[in-house]
């Protein structure tokens, strides 16, 4: 259980809104270690190391919450504890006295060091590290000196444990054809396999008599504590069937008694008791029950109050265009091409902009030919994104590619004969891409590389023999994060590909338009790093040939070289700028504006049933009177007389416009995206991570009416740490870079900040303070201590974690009382994304009608629908497992809402399909037992409150913005009726679903 005591309630900007002391009695993915004399226990509850008596009781913290301290190990004398900590932005081994004094960092560098354990004599610490490019077992002296590598397999070796005599170590390995438990001498020789084992392995602990090794094996439906008999290689189960065993090292309390963690508790099991019922099969679960050791741990929460960003939904305009995607300077330096408002534009040095394309399609990613006569670009005018070319002399446009999937990032070769580009490999441009080259003379396309994760735009070497681009260089195969670096691809021989970087152990900026970019003369690579524009000298092979040189002090992105290599054009906070190699830096103003498309006159929506989002019940037979783009009144039905437009929903249900709270939109999906959202009843989207200029282009196009679409709220790039994974991540590791990113957030009108998994808590706390100072909420993947210093929301019940396991949910998808209680008590929102974590596939497997939604059929291509259906069908054999894990998530959501917590409906599309997954997400909440009114609030009032717009959006009342949906059916009785959208109103403008599905033209 969890107990909360309110300590303060003070309102005011920059002050504490309230503070609480929260008593925890359970721990999700809790690790524990006992002293060698079995008198004390250390635990790592929610990232803090605590100690308590072996019999249980009140726990005392010996580290502060900011270190994300995990997996403690006692020294043999009980005087010190070693553990892994993320305090400095990487996993390193630290140690502290048992009383909490003398906190010491033992390892350093751009590596991850995990899972420490002391040798029996206390002189050495073994741990797993990716220092060699894969995880291996390393040892060092207890003071951090004399570092030595023991294993050297190209696979991963981890979770080490010492033999009781200290002469050997055992560990887990994931090597192909030999996955299991291994032994090696402490001198690093005589490695051998002890036993093969299945599942995700971890938590090794050698017995005091040396005869057995305990370990944890986790599969899809079970997480089990097992024992390996060293001499016979026989493996048997120790934990009972159904126990949710956490994957950490157990402790031997005696020759026959072990301490381990499971079901959010500390458990003590006596192995001397018969372990299986008479006649049970080998490996059967034990008959005896473990003893639970109770504990309590008090954590403090202090939630700051802050003034929210002000929004102007009423000023008619005009407004300057900020959403300039992919600006590229012409070779002669006289003009700049860019994408904005769905079209390709050309602007001269006077700032005069003219459209090169003017249609309902989405056109973007312009690229100049080296002679300056043509511009290649991407357009979905043919039904999906392909590469087109515009001839500047004649104005003629022609389609250059006809590919199987969407494309992005065209780049013209220096001799003008070829164009490099990427074909999207699923996920609408957020995942991998295959590198291709179009030969313009032969009209052939050749694949150069089959898959690169989240690549940036390709840049040709001057001789056309190489391509360089930004890609992630993995740190190991055990975990997905790595460092964004320069990938130099040799076109003639893929075996010669290499990663180079001028900034070891650091990542570049977003991997879209931020370089590296080869100068035409071949002397330099330009790129964005630490929020600024840099250049570095390179040789003809792309190797770094000098020290990097910063070219700007302020934020910069999207550089492009002049043809004479004397300077670059880039995007600064105030628009386009040009910086020369001699240091001159000047603005390049662009005179381009847009105006919001405003509805005029009075429209009445006559509702048979109205869910206003405020009351939990319907109001019946009312008129929603809309004056322009706002609701003027909600009143009983009456005759309105001539000249008033009445939308007759007298036999239908009217609800507030739905808000999708977690999606990542991408240009390769094309212009159909806005219509798809509206046809699904979504009138606002919250995008916690994207290229900000991509988001701004959508916002300005949708707001101006250039393309139909919902309101756009966004976070810009994922604010991450030194290591990254996604191309849309921004690596921020210094306060100075943080300030540049916050200045960018303010200048580009962000709506929130999203921090990602490799950002340390000390830096994330700075992000929260700075974001709140400019009125922006912050969301992350973290729960504690994020909840204690003001993070406003957490994304995903599970989601990616830097730990390799989740602090919010066990491997069996169970969130325990520490997680549920912290969320419910604090007011921090959670966006569960159940559909991402199996909920969508499960629903589609159980009801084929899910894939027959009219908008899905109309706006997804046949090949997309077929691929999705085939992928779902491949999951059918695991349906029972999906039922179990999704059922566990259902219980968590139901409990959070029942205890007063707030859930925001979101999906993480396009990892699950846009729009369709959102409706399934809401059906999952209803299936979980969340009251129907709260299901609707999770997609209306609660996300509006998160954005600071509770008085503008999410509810229907006089003065609110006129965003609403007309539904055929009764969603309070049957949430699946939300799929039956008859029409949708955004900003007072009403469209029927038939209009949205039958027309792809501009409005």
């Amino acid at each position: 259980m969890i107990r909360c005591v309110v300590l303060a309630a003070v309102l005011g900007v920059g002050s504490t809104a309230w503070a609480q002391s929260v008593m925890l009695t359970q721990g999700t993915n809790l690790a524990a270690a006992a002293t060698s004399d079995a008198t004390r226990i250390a635990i790592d509850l929610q990232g803090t190391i605590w100690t308590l008596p072996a019999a249980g009781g009140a726990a005392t913290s010996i580290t502060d919450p900011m270190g994300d301290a995990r997996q403690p190990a006692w020294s043999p004398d009980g005087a010190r504890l070693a553990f892994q900590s993320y305090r400095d932005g990487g996993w390193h081994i630290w140690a502290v006295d048992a009383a909490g004094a003398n906190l010491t960092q033992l390892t350093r560098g751009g590596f991850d060091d995990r899972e420490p354990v002391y040798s029996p004599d206390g002189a050495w610490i073994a741990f797993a590290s990716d220092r060699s490019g894969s995880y291996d077992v390393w040892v060092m002296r207890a003071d951090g000196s004399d570092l030595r590598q023991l294993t050297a397999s190209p696979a991963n070796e981890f979770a080490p444990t010492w033999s009781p005599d200290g002469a050997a170590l055992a560990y887990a390995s994931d090597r192909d054809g030999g996955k299991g438990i291994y032994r090696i001498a402490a001198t690093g020789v005589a490695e051998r396999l002890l036993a093969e084992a299945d599942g995700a392995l971890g938590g090794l602990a050698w017995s005091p008599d040396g005869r057995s090794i305990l370990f944890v094996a986790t599969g899809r439906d079970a997480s089990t504590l097992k024992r390996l008999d060293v001499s016979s290689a026989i493996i048997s189960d120790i934990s009972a069937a159904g126990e949710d065993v956490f994957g950490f090292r157990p402790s031997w309390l005696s020759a026959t008694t072990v301490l381990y963690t499971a079901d959010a508790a500390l458990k003590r099991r006596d192995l001397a008791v018969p372990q299986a019922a008479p006649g049970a099969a080998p490996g059967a679960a034990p008959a005896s029950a473990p003893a639970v050791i109770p504990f309590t741990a008090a954590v403090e929460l202090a939630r700051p109050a802050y003034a929210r960003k002000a929004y102007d939904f009423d000023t008619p305009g005009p407004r300057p265009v900020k959403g300039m995607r992919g600006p590229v300077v012409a070779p002669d330096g006289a003009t700049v091409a860019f994408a904005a408002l769905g079209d390709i534009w050309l602007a001269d040095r006077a700032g005069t902009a003219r459209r090169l394309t003017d249609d309902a399609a989405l056109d973007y990613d312009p690229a100049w030919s080296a002679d300056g006569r043509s511009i290649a670009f991407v357009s979905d005018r043919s039904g999906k994104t392909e590469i087109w070319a515009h001839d500047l002399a004649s104005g003629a446009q022609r389609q250059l590619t006809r590919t199987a999937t969407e494309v992005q990032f065209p780049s013209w070769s220096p001799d003008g004969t070829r164009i490099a580009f990427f074909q999207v490999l699923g996920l609408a441009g957020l995942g991998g891409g295959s590198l291709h080259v179009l030969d313009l003379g032969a009209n052939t396309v050749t694949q150069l590389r089959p898959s690169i994760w989240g690549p940036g735009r390709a840049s040709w070497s001057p001789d056309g023999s190489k391509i360089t681009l930004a890609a992630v260089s993995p740190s190991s195969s055990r975990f997905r994060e790595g460092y964004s670096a320069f990938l130099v691809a040799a076109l003639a021989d893929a075996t010669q590909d290499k990663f180079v970087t001028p900034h070891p152990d650091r990542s570049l900026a977003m991997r879209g338009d931020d370089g590296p970019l080869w100068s035409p003369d071949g002397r330099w690579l330009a790129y964005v790093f630490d929020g600024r524009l840099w250049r570095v000298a390179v040789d003809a092979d792309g190797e770094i040939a000098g020290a990097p040189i910063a070219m700007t002090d302020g934020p910069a992105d999207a550089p492009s070289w002049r043809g004479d290599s004397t300077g670059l054009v880039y995007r600064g906070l105030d628009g386009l700028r040009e910086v020369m190699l001699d240091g001159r830096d000047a603005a390049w103003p662009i005179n381009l504006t847009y105006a919001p498309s405003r509805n005029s006159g009075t429209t009445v929506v006559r509702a048979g049933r109205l869910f206003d989002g405020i009351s939990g019940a319907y109001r019946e037979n009312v008129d929603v009177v809309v004056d322009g783009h706002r609701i003027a009144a909600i009143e009983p039905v009456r005759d309105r007389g001539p000249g008033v437009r009445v939308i007759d929903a007298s036999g239908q249900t009217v609800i507030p416009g739905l808000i999708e709270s977690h999606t990542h939109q991408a240009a390769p999906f094309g212009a159909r995206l806005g219509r798809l959202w509206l046809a699904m009843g979504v009138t606002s989207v919250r995008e916690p991570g994207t290229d900000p200029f991509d988001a701004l282009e959508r916002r300005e196009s949708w707001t101006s009416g250039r393309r139909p679409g919902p309101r756009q709220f966004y976070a810009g790039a994922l604010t991450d740490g030194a290591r990254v994974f996604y191309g849309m991540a921004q690596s921020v590791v210094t306060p100075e870079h943080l300030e540049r990113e916050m200045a960018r957030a303010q200048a580009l009108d962000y709506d929130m900040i999203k921090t990602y998994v490799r950002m340390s808590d000390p830096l994330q706390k700075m992000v929260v303070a700075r974001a709140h100072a400019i009125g922006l909420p912050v969301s992350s993947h973290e729960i504690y201590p994020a909840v204690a210093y003001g993070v406003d929301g957490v994304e995903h019940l599970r989601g990616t974690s830097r730990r390799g396991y989740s602090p919010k949910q066990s491997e069996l998808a169970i969130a325990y009382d520490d997680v549920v209680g912290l969320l419910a008590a604090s007011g921090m929102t959670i966006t569960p994304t159940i559909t991402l974590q199996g909920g969508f596939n499960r629903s589609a497997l159980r009801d084929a009608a899910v894939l027959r939604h009219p908008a899905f059929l109309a706006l997804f291509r046949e090949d997309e629908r077929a691929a999705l259906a085939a992928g779902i069908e491949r999951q059918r054999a695991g349906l029972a497992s999906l039922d179990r894990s999704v059922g566990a998530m259902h219980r968590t959501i139901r409990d959070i809402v029942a205890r007063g917590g707030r859930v925001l409906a979101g999906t993480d599309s396009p990892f699950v399909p846009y729009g369709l997954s959102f409706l399934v997400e809401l059906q999952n909440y209803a299936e979980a037992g969340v009251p129907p009114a709260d299901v609707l609030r999770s997609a209306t009032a609660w996300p509006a409150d998160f954005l600071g717009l509770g008085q503008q959006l999410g509810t229907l009342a006089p003065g609110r913005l006129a965003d609403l949906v007309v539904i055929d059916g009764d969603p309070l009785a049957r949430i699946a009726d939300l799929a039956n959208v008859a029409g949708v109103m955004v900003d007072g403008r009403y469209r029927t679903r038939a209009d949205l599905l039958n027309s792809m033209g501009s409005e």
Side-chain angles (χ1 to χ4, degrees):
M1 64 178 294
I2 188 166
R3 298 194 302 272
C4 305
V5 178
V6 177
L7 301 178
V10 183
L11 297 179
V13 176
S15 66
T16 299
W18 52 259
Q20 294 186 26
S21 177
V22 180
M23 191 67 72
L24 305 180
T25 60
Q26 292 186 337
T28 300
N29 271 332
L30 172 76
T35 54
S36 58
D37 63 4
T39 60
R40 302 284 293 172
I41 295 173
I43 61 176
D44 68 353
L45 182 62
Q46 288 295 340
T48 298
I49 305 297
W50 310 69
T51 61
L52 65 152
T60 301
S61 61
I62 62 170
T63 66
D64 66 74
M66 303 301 288
D68 198 4
R70 305 277 172 173
Q71 302 192 49
W74 288 95
S75 62
D77 60 6
R80 296 273 282 173
L81 291 112
F83 53 92
Q84 66 183 59
S85 172
Y86 200 75
R87 185 179 298 273
D88 70 344
W91 287 116
H92 291 118
I93 309 303
W94 294 61
V96 68
D97 289 351
N102 298 319
L103 179 67
T104 307
Q105 184 173 358
L106 300 179
T107 64
R108 289 176 169 80
F111 317 103
D112 276 353
D113 306 318
R114 304 174 186 248
E115 305 156 338
V117 58
Y118 280 94
S119 62
D121 63 4
W124 296 86
I125 294 174
F127 59 97
S129 176
D130 64 4
R131 293 166 179 264
S132 63
S134 66
Y135 271 85
D136 284 296
V137 176
W138 293 67
V139 296
M140 63 182 173
R141 295 193 181 276
D143 63 1
S145 64
D146 200 6
L147 189 66
R148 304 178 187 179
Q149 182 178 351
L150 290 192
T151 66
S153 163
N156 297 297
E157 283 75 45
F158 49 92
T161 181
W162 292 87
S163 63
D165 61 5
L169 293 101
Y171 48 88
S173 176
D174 64 4
R175 64 191 70 179
D176 291 340
K179 181 179 182 180
I181 308 300
Y182 285 73
R183 177 196 185 277
I184 196 170
T187 56
V189 298
E191 182 188 45
R192 64 185 175 93
L193 174 67
L194 295 177
E196 293 186 354
D198 295 326
L201 307 178
L204 274 65
W206 215 316
S207 66
D209 61 10
R211 296 179 178 177
S212 59
I213 297 172
L214 299 181
F215 67 97
V216 180
T218 302
R220 186 166 186 174
D221 294 303
S223 188
T224 308
L225 180 63
K226 294 177 177 287
R227 176 163 55 181
L228 165 66
D229 184 285
V230 175
S231 61
S232 68
I234 293 175
I235 296 173
S236 56
D237 291 350
I238 297 300
S239 57
E243 272 191 278
D244 187 11
V245 179
F246 301 155
F248 310 114
R249 182 185 303 115
S251 294
W252 290 87
L253 300 176
S254 71
T256 61
T257 309
V258 296
L259 169 74
Y260 65 103
T261 58
D263 304 321
L266 304 174
K267 294 190 174 185
R268 184 175 61 245
R269 186 179 285 278
D270 187 352
L271 305 186
V273 177
Q275 291 301 298
S288 61
V292 172
I293 301 171
F295 67 87
T296 59
V299 299
E300 306 299 325
L301 310 183
R303 307 285 290 166
Y306 63 100
R308 303 301 292 268
K309 166 187 170 181
Y311 285 85
D312 179 6
F313 295 110
D314 300 308
T315 301
R319 304 175 184 183
V321 167
K322 295 182 178 181
M324 290 187 292
R325 288 198 45 159
V328 283
V329 64
D332 64 4
T335 56
V336 169
F338 60 92
L341 301 174
D343 289 310
I344 305 298
W345 298 72
L346 202 63
D348 59 22
R349 287 190 167 273
T352 303
R354 63 183 179 92
R355 272 191 168 99
L356 296 186
T357 65
D358 189 0
D359 52 40
L362 176 59
D363 304 327
Y364 63 100
D365 275 0
W368 287 94
S369 62
D371 60 11
R373 296 177 180 178
S374 299
I375 294 175
F377 62 97
V378 174
S379 176
D380 68 342
R381 62 186 65 182
S382 67
K384 70 178 182 63
T385 57
E386 297 282 8
I387 298 175
W388 292 67
H390 178 94
D391 182 85
L392 288 170
S394 67
Q397 296 178 1
R398 61 191 178 98
Q399 186 174 346
L400 299 181
T401 61
R402 287 170 174 81
T403 57
T405 66
E406 288 84 358
V407 304
Q408 60 181 356
F409 296 146
S411 177
W412 225 304
S413 65
D415 63 5
T417 65
R418 294 168 291 171
I419 294 177
F421 65 96
F422 286 94
Q423 280 189 228
V424 173
L425 300 178
L427 309 183
L430 296 182
S434 55
L435 178 61
H436 295 253
V437 167
L438 166 67
D439 186 308
L440 292 166
N443 195 29
T444 58
V445 172
T446 303
Q447 179 178 281
L448 295 181
R449 301 296 181 271
S451 179
I452 301 173
W453 180 258
R457 185 189 295 270
S459 176
W460 294 80
S461 64
D463 65 2
S465 68
K466 299 177 182 64
I467 284 175
T468 186
L469 56 101
V472 62
S473 176
S475 297
S476 78
S477 60
R478 189 181 178 197
F479 303 107
R480 69 183 193 176
E481 291 85 12
Y483 295 99
S484 282
F486 305 160
L487 173 60
V488 182
L491 273 61
D493 184 0
T495 64
Q496 299 300 308
D497 289 2
K498 58 191 174 185
F499 280 103
V500 299
T501 180
H503 305 280
D505 302 331
R506 294 286 303 276
S507 284
L508 307 178
M510 290 189 299
R511 299 195 299 270
D513 290 319
D514 283 349
L517 187 67
W518 227 308
S519 62
D521 62 11
R523 295 178 56 206
W524 307 98
L525 283 176
Y527 61 97
V528 177
F529 167 77
D530 206 24
R532 297 185 289 167
L533 177 60
W534 298 67
R535 73 179 189 270
V536 66
V538 291
D539 64 19
D541 291 326
E543 293 284 356
I544 306 301
I549 301 169
M551 299 186 69
T552 67
D553 293 324
D557 66 352
S560 62
W561 283 100
R562 292 168 52 102
D564 59 8
S565 300
T566 59
L568 300 104
V569 171
Y570 69 95
R571 275 188 312 231
L573 290 188
D574 55 351
L576 291 186
R577 303 188 65 85
E578 186 175 39
V579 61
M580 308 303 288
L581 297 190
D582 62 13
R584 290 174 294 161
D585 192 332
W588 188 321
I590 304 293
N591 302 318
L592 185 61
T593 63
Y594 74 100
S597 176
R598 288 284 178 239
N599 191 51
S600 61
T602 299
T603 302
V604 173
V605 181
R606 183 151 294 161
R609 290 181 297 266
L610 177 76
F611 177 79
D612 61 14
I614 302 168
S615 168
Y618 289 130
R619 299 165 66 178
E620 296 188 349
N621 300 318
V622 294
D623 282 348
V624 181
V625 182
V626 176
D627 185 6
H629 66 292
R630 288 191 178 271
I631 297 172
I634 299 177
E635 54 194 27
V637 170
R638 64 177 176 83
D639 180 37
R640 297 292 167 176
V644 176
R645 183 189 183 197
V646 176
I647 297 168
D648 185 6
S650 57
Q652 297 162 307
T653 302
V654 176
I655 64 172
L658 301 176
I659 303 173
E660 216 294 17
S661 286
H662 194 126
T663 183
H664 301 285
Q665 302 169 104
F669 198 78
R672 57 184 163 152
L673 182 56
R675 291 182 179 274
L676 176 64
W677 287 129
L678 297 181
M680 296 289 188
V682 174
T683 60
S684 292
V685 294
R686 192 192 74 157
E687 191 168 9
T690 184
D691 180 323
F693 295 93
D694 190 9
L696 282 168
E697 189 282 328
R698 281 190 295 276
R699 175 187 284 176
E700 292 168 356
S701 291
W702 290 342
T703 300
S704 67
R706 184 70 184 174
R707 300 195 302 274
R711 299 181 191 274
Q712 166 86 52
F713 301 99
Y714 80 106
L718 301 172
T719 309
D720 211 352
R723 295 188 186 187
V724 300
F725 181 64
Y726 287 107
M728 59 183 171
Q730 187 74 264
S731 173
V732 179
V733 299
T734 66
E736 294 77 16
H737 187 189
L738 172 61
E739 285 302 317
R740 283 189 280 274
E741 293 308 317
M742 290 301 105
R744 187 196 307 272
Q746 196 163 15
L748 299 183
D749 202 25
Y750 287 16
D751 303 288
M752 60 179 289
I753 300 294
K754 166 75 178 293
T755 60
Y756 209 54
V757 298
R758 294 287 302 197
M759 173 163 281
S760 68
D761 279 294
L763 195 57
Q764 181 171 264
K765 186 176 181 180
M766 294 175 61
V767 171
V768 172
R770 185 67 179 86
H772 285 181
I774 59 176
L776 301 183
V778 178
S779 189
S780 75
H781 281 210
E782 304 300 315
I783 180 170
Y784 191 85
V787 66
Y789 55 70
V791 172
D792 301 271
V794 60
E795 306 302 311
H796 312 296
L797 268 177
R798 189 180 187 86
T800 306
S801 168
R802 58 177 172 255
R803 302 158 196 87
Y805 56 89
S806 172
K808 297 172 288 187
Q809 186 184 87
S810 73
E811 292 302 309
L812 298 187
I814 302 171
Y816 291 93
D817 197 68
D818 56 328
V819 173
V820 174
L822 284 169
L823 288 170
S826 66
M828 177 192 251
T829 64
I830 182 167
T831 309
T833 64
I834 291 177
T835 46
L836 173 70
Q837 295 155 144
F840 182 81
N841 288 348
R842 174 180 177 271
S843 294
L845 286 169
R846 292 201 165 278
D847 182 3
V850 167
L851 300 183
R852 294 198 294 266
H853 189 286
F856 179 66
L857 295 176
L859 295 176
F860 281 77
R861 298 192 312 270
E862 182 178 357
D863 62 300
E864 293 171 321
R865 300 196 306 271
L868 178 65
I872 292 170
E873 188 58 33
R874 287 193 291 270
Q875 302 295 314
R876 187 169 294 280
L879 181 55
S881 295
L882 286 175
D883 284 340
R884 181 200 56 74
S885 61
V886 172
M889 290 183 276
H890 283 175
R891 291 190 293 275
T892 299
I893 294 303
R894 180 194 62 213
D895 292 347
I896 290 172
V897 175
R899 292 169 64 169
R902 285 195 166 188
V903 168
L904 309 186
T907 63
D908 214 8
S909 55
F911 297 93
V912 284
Y914 289 124
L916 186 63
S917 59
F918 182 67
L919 299 181
V920 174
E921 182 82 12
L922 295 172
Q923 292 174 31
N924 269 265
Y925 300 169
E927 186 178 342
V930 175
D934 286 339
V935 174
L936 292 181
R937 290 189 182 104
S938 75
T940 55
W942 294 346
D945 285 343
F946 174 91
L947 292 165
L949 291 168
Q951 298 303 306
Q952 303 269 13
L953 293 171
T955 55
L956 300 178
R960 303 289 199 271
L961 291 164
D963 290 9
L964 55 84
V965 186
V966 177
I967 302 291
D968 287 326
D970 181 355
L972 287 184
R974 184 176 179 270
I975 204 69
D977 283 352
L978 287 176
N980 305 324
V981 172
V984 61
M985 178 178 283
V986 180
D987 231 22
R989 181 169 187 176
Y990 187 75
R991 300 175 176 93
T992 67
R993 186 160 77 183
D995 290 338
L996 293 165
L997 301 187
N998 293 334
S999 173
M1000 290 299 289
S1002 61
E1003 300 188 358

